[in-house]
Amino acid sequence: QVQLVESGGGLVQAGGSLRLSCQASGRTFSRSDMAWFRQAPGKEREFVSYISWTGTSTFYADSVKGRFTISRDNTKNTVSLQMNSLKPEDTAVYYCAADARKGSIFRVGTYDYWGQGTQVTVSA
């Protein structure tokens, strides 16, 4: 079992930065692939970023490449998402996820564990 709690969301002006954190509880965290997804009002939950359990493999949605950076600290059981140069279209609830099965890292159904989400709002 893995429990995930996100924090760090808030209101920021376009061009600003936020750092999201996901605090995990559970003995399997260090060997869990982790990801961030986001869901804007009226839209489906979409992939944002991924990091392997070793931290050596990362992927980003095209829309956030060069602006967002995912990282993890297995000692602290945390995964973070540094978001720079934020745009209004980044506005969404951001969710931390951990996978417990094989599948596409880009698909919601691949991940068995989810946090409650944290709101990010970017004003123009």
Side-chain angles (χ1 to χ4, degrees):
Q1 290 282 69
V2 177
Q3 292 78 46
L4 307 173
V5 179
E6 303 97 333
S7 63
L11 175 64
V12 66
Q13 294 186 110
S17 298
L18 285 173
R19 184 176 179 87
L20 306 184
S21 295
C22 176
Q23 180 68 57
S25 300
R27 296 169 63 192
T28 62
F29 175 79
S30 293
R31 285 230 163 199
S32 296
D33 293 353
M34 303 291 294
W36 288 95
F37 286 74
R38 67 188 182 187
Q39 187 166 21
K43 296 184 178 181
E44 297 295 313
R45 193 168 298 185
E46 68 173 355
F47 172 81
V48 176
S49 188
Y50 160 94
I51 187 166
S52 64
W53 70 270
T54 62
T56 58
S57 181
T58 61
F59 291 91
Y60 298 91
D62 287 343
S63 59
V64 306
K65 285 180 181 176
R67 300 188 298 119
F68 291 10
T69 303
I70 191 170
S71 62
R72 70 189 297 161
D73 186 336
N74 289 342
T75 300
K76 298 180 179 179
N77 285 355
T78 59
V79 61
S80 298
L81 186 70
Q82 178 66 46
M83 306 186 295
N84 298 327
S85 302
L86 284 162
K87 304 175 181 179
E89 50 262 47
D90 295 318
T91 295
V93 176
Y94 283 70
Y95 296 90
C96 176
D99 72 318
R101 67 173 74 96
K102 294 215 178 341
S104 171
I105 64 172
F106 309 106
R107 189 170 67 87
V108 168
T110 297
Y111 301 87
D112 276 350
Y113 304 102
W114 294 85
Q116 81 289 345
T118 186
Q119 177 71 49
V120 172
T121 302
V122 184
S123 62

